[in-house]
Structure formats: structure tokens, C-alpha cells
Amino acid sequence: MQFQDVIGQDAVIRQLRDMVDQNRLSHALLFVGKEGSGALPLALAFSTYIIEQNEAAPAAAPSLFGEAPAPPAEKHGVALAQQYIHPDIHY
């Protein structure tokens, strides 16, 4: 799931991207909404986004997760997130 797949949440998406860009990501975020509000697709798209940002970070940049960047062979987090089996995301 990508942000482009989420309908009608442009302001929230912009705010979430700003949080990541400014490195002000909280340790936990709770996405709550009535059925059909788009909270679940938004949460899934955001989790994929932060994993993509972590994998795209240059080796010298600090990780969003506070860890050393993985070597290129181990960068498969987006695939795991898209299959809903990523170990760092609690579904």
C-alpha cells in the first residue's frame, strides 16, 4: 500500500511526511477512524513509507529507527511490509 492508494487524506499524508522529513517520528502512532474512513489504508501506507525512507537513507545518515543502516543485501523491508509480515510493524 502506498500513499497514492489512499483516498481523501491529503492533509494527513502531508503531516505524516513532514514528521518523517523533520525526524520527529514518535515511538508509536495510533490511527483511529470509523469504518470506511481510510485509517487502516493510511496506517499501512505510512508504515511502508517509513520503511522505504529507512532503506533509502544513505549510509552516513542516521536511521529513523536509531540503528545502523542494513547492508544492501538485507534491504527487503518494503517487500515484508507489503506482505504484512514485517517484524517491526504490529498489525
Side-chain angles (χ1 to χ4, degrees), residues 28-49:
L29 294 173
L30 183 62
F31 291 79
V32 178
K34 293 182 179 180
E35 186 173 340
S37 67
L40 180 60
L42 182 62
L44 294 173
F46 184 61
S47 64
T48 302
Y49 179 74

Side-chain angles (χ1 to χ4, degrees), residues 4-90:
Q4 64 193 13
D5 302 326
V6 179
I7 299 170
Q9 300 286 347
D10 295 332
V12 178
I13 290 171
R14 194 170 26 260
Q15 184 177 10
L16 291 171
R17 284 186 174 165
D18 287 345
M19 286 173 45
V20 172
D21 292 344
Q22 297 171 8
N23 203 18
R24 299 187 57 86
L25 187 60
S26 178
H27 76 283
L29 294 173
L30 183 62
F31 291 79
V32 178
K34 293 182 179 180
E35 186 173 340
S37 67
L40 180 60
L42 182 62
L44 294 173
F46 184 61
S47 64
T48 302
Y49 179 74
I50 61 174
I51 291 169
E52 285 174 350
Q53 295 301 315
N54 185 49
E55 290 186 357
S63 168
L64 289 173
F65 300 110
E67 58 193 23
E74 297 179 22
K75 292 187 176 186
H76 60 279
V78 174
L80 292 176
Q82 290 173 344
Q83 296 172 16
Y84 307 113
I85 57 173
H86 196 282
D88 291 335
I89 303 172
H90 301 276

